[in-house]
Amino acid sequence: AVSSVILLIFGFLAFLKTERVLGVMKDSALLFYLTYVGLAFAITLLFSNQLFEEALRCALILTGYGAIYALSASLCKVSRLWILWGVSTLVSLLAIYGLAAHQFPELYLSEKVFNHHAITATFTNPNHFATLLGFAILTSLTLLVTQARLHFLAIIFVAICSYTLLQTGSRA
């Protein structure tokens, strides 16, 4: 449900800049991918005993992945800087929540995610949380390196996410 809502939001934002969406449709990687989906659908119908409905469902799922790519590419071209700030901010806030909830377990929404030895935030596995934190560290570092002036908020995000990453106990 969360992924669907995020996809709808990305789609809405992308279609605000229609010229960017039309530009993505000229993307050769997307066109090759959609051609592959069409050929895979046709070959499945011709040489497989799979039902038409099942083959169509699989083709629609694959087309949906193409739509996610198109929306992401379009949104990234429209507002790459906003996406970087959004990811860095959201993950940093999740890291702060994870640090606080580890000290005060009653803040966890579910006992299942509480780990006595490592910070998990809203994840059951600390390694999954560590991966997200690593991603946020990279987006925050990108903000530091690509901006004309030094943003102290990005430095704070790197520090928070790096410290929290060490507290997850993840070997990644």
Side-chain angles (χ1 to χ4, degrees), residues 127-138:
N127 292 324
H128 299 159
F129 185 42
T131 303
L132 184 65
L133 290 167
F135 185 70
I137 291 169
L138 291 176

Side-chain angles (χ1 to χ4, degrees), residues 48-125:
S48 170
N49 59 357
Q50 193 172 22
L51 296 174
F52 176 81
E53 293 83 17
E54 181 64 25
L56 181 62
R57 186 182 71 77
C58 292
L60 288 175
I61 290 171
L62 291 175
T63 304
Y65 292 144
I68 291 170
Y69 166 78
L71 291 173
S72 299
S74 175
L75 185 61
C76 190
K77 289 178 183 176
V78 171
S79 56
R80 182 182 71 84
L81 187 63
W82 285 103
I83 292 172
L84 292 173
W85 278 110
V87 168
S88 296
T89 303
L90 290 174
V91 177
S92 295
L93 291 173
L94 185 62
I96 291 170
Y97 166 75
L99 289 168
H102 192 67
Q103 294 299 317
F104 306 103
E106 59 272 4
L107 292 176
Y108 276 113
L109 302 176
S110 169
E111 287 183 34
K112 180 179 171 184
V113 296
F114 180 66
N115 185 321
H116 292 281
H117 307 292
I119 292 177
T120 57
T122 58
F123 293 86
T124 303
N125 187 329

Side-chain angles (χ1 to χ4, degrees), residues 136-156:
I137 291 169
L138 291 176
T139 59
S140 299
L141 288 173
T142 301
L143 288 168
L144 283 173
V145 173
T146 60
Q147 298 301 301
R149 62 184 182 93
L150 189 63
H151 286 279
F152 288 106
L153 193 55
I155 293 171
I156 292 169

Side-chain angles (χ1 to χ4, degrees), residues 147-166:
Q147 298 301 301
R149 62 184 182 93
L150 189 63
H151 286 279
F152 288 106
L153 193 55
I155 293 171
I156 292 169
F157 289 161
V158 169
I160 290 170
C161 290
S162 297
Y163 176 75
T164 308
L165 176 65
L166 293 173

